[in-house]
Amino acid sequence: MTLTELLQIGDEVVFKVDPERRAWTDIYNDVPDGTKGIVCGFYDAVIYESRVRVLVHQPGVYHRKGAVSVWLSDGRIVPGDWSIEMVDKDQEKRRDAALRGADGILRTPQVRLGDLPETKVWEQDKVRVRFPHDGSEHEMTIGRIDYHHMHQRRNDGSSWPFYDVRFMEGGSTSAEESWIELIERGNVWKYYNNQPLVFTDLKEEASFFHLVGQTEEVRNPKNNLYSWTEEEVLEAIMNGTVHGFSVDSGFFGSGPYINAQRFKDEELGKRVAKVTLEGFGITA
C-alpha cells in the first residue's frame, strides 16, 4: 500500500525528495527537504481490475485516490508523489492496521464503478490475428487486455493496439481489436460464464485457479510472515494447513523465496497436495 491511500485531507506531511528525482525535474527546486505542508486534495484514479491475477478485488472498474496535492504555507500547491512522509507516524500506523484484514492483506479503499468494458475476446481465448503491416496471419492466444488504452488513438488516428497477443511458439506482441478473429473461447471466458473448463493436466488446472484468485496465501505460524523454508512448507502440506507452494528466485542472489498456498476448492487442494508430496518422495 502506498502512503497516498493512508493520507486524508488536512494531514500534515513533510517533503523528503529523492536526489535522483530532483535531478530530472524542477518541481521541487524551491521545496527543500524538511518543508512541511498540508494535504489539500487528490487526483481521481480509475483502476481496471482484470479477470486474471485476481488478488483482492473482483473484476471491474474502480475509483480510488490518485496522486496527492500538498498546500504550502506560502500558498503554492505542489504534487506530493513519492516525495512526502506523514508527520504523525502513530496515526499512519493506526490507519495502516485498520485497512488490513485478519490475514494481514491490505485492502485498498476503492469504490466499484461497474463491470469491465465489453471486448470481443477475453484472456486465454484462442484467436487468429491478421497483421496488416506484412499481411501475415497467426493463431495466437490473448494474454492481457490493456483497458486504459481501449479508446486511445495513435498519431495517425488508428486505434491503439490494446490486446497483448501471444504466439503459440512463445513471445508476444500487441494487436488492435479489428485484427483479431475469435477461434475458440478459453477457460477464463468459460469460468466467468459457468461453462465446463478443460485442462491438460493438474498443473494447468492449479495454475488457472490461482490466476483467477481461488487461492489464499498462508502465513508461516513460526514467524507470522509469508516466507517458509522447504521443510516447514512440506510439513504444513502433510498436516493439511496448506496445499502447495510456489518459489520466487529472489533478487540479487538472495535465494529462493517460498510462498505457501491454500486452494479455496478443498478437493482440488488435496489433489495438489498429494502430487506435491509425491514429488518429494513423501506418501501422505
Side-chain angles (χ1 to χ4, degrees):
M1 175 171 289
T2 65
L3 179 61
T4 296
E5 292 157 336
L6 301 179
L7 288 170
Q8 297 177 7
I9 292 177
D11 285 341
E12 186 178 26
V13 294
V14 60
F15 280 85
K16 186 178 180 181
V17 184
D18 183 89
E20 288 189 10
R21 184 164 177 76
R22 286 193 182 279
W24 61 263
T25 180
D26 59 2
I27 293 175
Y28 302 108
N29 283 354
D30 298 321
V31 186
D33 286 355
T35 300
K36 291 185 178 180
I38 304 296
V39 173
C40 64
F42 301 89
Y43 290 98
D44 292 317
V46 174
I47 306 298
Y48 295 89
E49 300 281 4
S50 75
R51 302 178 188 92
V52 295
R53 295 180 177 84
V54 176
L55 297 176
V56 176
H57 300 285
Q58 290 303 303
V61 185
Y62 293 82
H63 172 274
R64 71 169 66 160
K65 291 188 298 186
V68 60
S69 296
V70 179
W71 177 82
L72 303 182
S73 60
D74 61 8
R76 285 181 294 158
I77 296 177
V78 295
D81 294 337
W82 297 276
S83 303
I84 55 175
E85 295 180 358
M86 195 168 172
V87 171
D88 190 338
K89 295 298 183 182
D90 290 335
Q91 180 68 279
E92 180 180 343
K93 291 178 181 178
R94 286 192 294 270
R95 290 179 187 171
D96 181 273
L99 291 174
R100 292 182 184 271
D103 54 8
I105 296 176
L106 289 161
R107 264 64 179 180
T108 303
Q110 54 188 31
V111 177
R112 194 176 194 277
L113 303 179
D115 295 334
L116 290 169
E118 289 189 15
T119 54
K120 183 164 66 175
V121 291
W122 287 22
E123 298 90 339
Q124 294 191 359
D125 282 354
K126 185 178 180 181
V127 298
R128 180 176 293 105
V129 183
R130 298 179 177 88
F131 292 97
H133 63 281
D134 62 3
S136 64
E137 292 188 6
H138 301 268
E139 287 193 1
M140 310 179 75
T141 57
I142 300 296
R144 180 176 53 84
I145 302 174
D146 189 351
Y147 293 98
H148 282 284
H149 289 115
M150 276 188 69
H151 302 292
Q152 290 189 5
R153 297 281 177 176
R154 291 180 287 193
N155 292 337
D156 62 2
S158 61
S159 299
W160 193 275
F162 62 90
Y163 288 99
D164 169 65
V165 288
R166 299 178 181 176
F167 294 95
M168 298 301 183
E169 62 272 18
S172 65
T173 187
S174 299
E176 294 182 23
E177 190 165 67
S178 61
W179 305 349
I180 296 172
E181 175 189 350
L182 175 65
I183 296 176
E184 182 182 358
R185 288 295 188 183
N187 278 334
V188 173
W189 185 92
K190 293 175 182 177
Y191 173 76
Y192 285 102
N193 287 276
N194 299 312
Q195 299 296 312
L197 306 178
V198 179
F199 302 106
T200 57
D201 54 28
L202 179 60
K203 180 180 179 180
E204 183 183 354
E205 182 180 2
S207 297
F208 175 81
F209 282 102
H210 177 65
L211 192 69
V212 294
Q214 294 303 301
T215 59
E216 296 176 339
E217 191 171 357
V218 180
R219 287 179 182 270
N220 185 341
K222 294 186 178 180
N223 57 25
N224 202 35
L225 301 174
Y226 289 106
S227 61
W228 299 69
T229 65
E230 182 179 298
E231 293 75 15
E232 289 169 342
V233 77
L234 290 175
E235 180 182 348
I237 294 173
M238 286 188 285
N239 65 33
T241 303
V242 303
H243 294 133
F245 66 93
S246 58
V247 180
D248 188 332
S249 60
F251 293 99
F252 308 115
S254 60
Y257 181 86
I258 295 176
N259 297 290
Q261 305 287 338
R262 185 172 184 85
F263 286 82
K264 295 179 181 179
D265 182 334
E266 187 68 19
E267 187 275 333
L268 171 59
K270 287 180 178 179
R271 286 190 284 128
V272 171
K274 181 176 183 295
V275 172
T276 300
L277 292 176
E278 288 174 351
F280 286 87
I282 302 171
T283 302

